[in-house]
Amino acid sequence: MDSKFSFLLIVLTLTLGSCKTQNVDTSTINLVKNKLPEFSWDKMPLYMHLRKSTSFSNKEVQYLSKFPLITFEKTTGSKTFGSTEKGTIKAAKAVKKINPNAKILYYKNVVINWGGYSEDENFLYEHPEALLINAKGQKSVMPNGKTGFFDISEDYVRKYWLHHVKKVTENPFIDGVFLDANIKVLVPGFFNSRVGEEKQEAIKSGYLSMMADLESQLGDDNLLIANILRVRPEFEDSGRAYLKFFDGSYIEGFEHESFGMAYEDYLAQGIEAVQKSAREGKVIAMSLGIGKGLKNAEAGIDDVRKKVSKHEDFSKRLEYLLAIFLVCAEKYSYVYPHDGYGTEKSAVWLKTFPQYEKPLGKPLGFAKREGYIYTRKFEHVDVWLDIKNKTSKLNYK
């Protein structure tokens, strides 16, 4: 065999071996499997988290392709393509054609039976008993009064969930999973009030088993990001112990809950947890609200926020949020300041801001804290943050 041909054959074999193999065609040949997202300190490292039930326009896909890490939420593409599974894959493929290096996460709730998933519907048609019921024999529901839960205390339900996630992530355009509602499972009060303490403990035990199986079955090749780090009185060290199952944490509710703590104490504790995790190499996908969180956000729909006007000057608020992020950020930390994840009502969707484009540079050390004031130096900007008075300064050099 010709030596040049042999060399090319080896290279091709290695390339294909490092790609996801399902439905690979010429448009996916460059989708080499690198688990972690691209990262650079050149400019503000950004994250994108969104939902849109119809297909994305070319303009929207071009915009999305600029982000190194993207989560397509539940309902994505479901009206156009018939299901969240198909809609997410269609959107991911469109983005990957422009930016093969973008890391795209498939949204899957660990327990809530959100609509729009065709495989869930088929599974529940065959196994209606897979939904959680309360002591009265009625379907246990979310605060919206209709959305139920998978009974993940049952082995066959967990097996279905894992099979579903594995099937989707085998697609070459999907790089991992975004796992939501972890805290609802781990904090006793949420399910205690619905199904009682004994069943709540069984749900929690099932969850821990399911996450261990997920990590062992998919963790080597897929990016696993969970909504897990949170300051809670029930958690030791803000839930950091659970990060053993995941590559990193999405961050939400960073300001709005306090459990009787002063705002600044609650936020300081959250900052400390994120700093520790980021310094350990965990991926951080920080979601920070530009608009004020609405009451129903606390009822379980965490991305619902007060509408921000497109003409509103929220530059001070944006700078404050970016300062919070920068005192926490390490390599593989990303931020998304937003006014809700639904693209139809968002004032920041398809927008960029001057702070995103200015040079940042590498950090010149960890953040320093004196009381409620944080400072940190980067190559091209000095950060000053006062969380007690909710003020900040980004001094560009």
Side-chain angles (χ1 to χ4, degrees), residues 31 92-104 172-173 175:
L31 299 180
K93 182 177 181 179
V95 171
K96 291 274 193 179
K97 281 187 175 180
I98 300 172
N99 180 10
N101 294 319
K103 295 302 173 191
I104 295 176
F173 304 111
D175 299 290

Side-chain angles (χ1 to χ4, degrees), residues 57-114:
S57 68
N58 291 335
K59 179 182 178 181
E60 289 173 322
V61 172
Q62 288 283 348
Y63 176 75
L64 286 169
S65 69
K66 299 176 183 179
F67 293 85
L69 179 61
I70 304 166
T71 294
F72 285 115
E73 262 268 3
K74 53 187 175 290
T75 75
T76 291
S78 57
K79 287 184 179 179
T80 301
F81 302 106
S83 72
T84 294
E85 302 99 300
K86 291 180 181 179
T88 300
I89 290 170
K90 288 284 188 179
K93 182 177 181 179
V95 171
K96 291 274 193 179
K97 281 187 175 180
I98 300 172
N99 180 10
N101 294 319
K103 295 302 173 191
I104 295 176
L105 302 180
Y106 172 64
Y107 176 99
K108 189 59 180 171
N109 203 286
V110 300
V111 69
I112 301 173
N113 176 34
W114 291 119

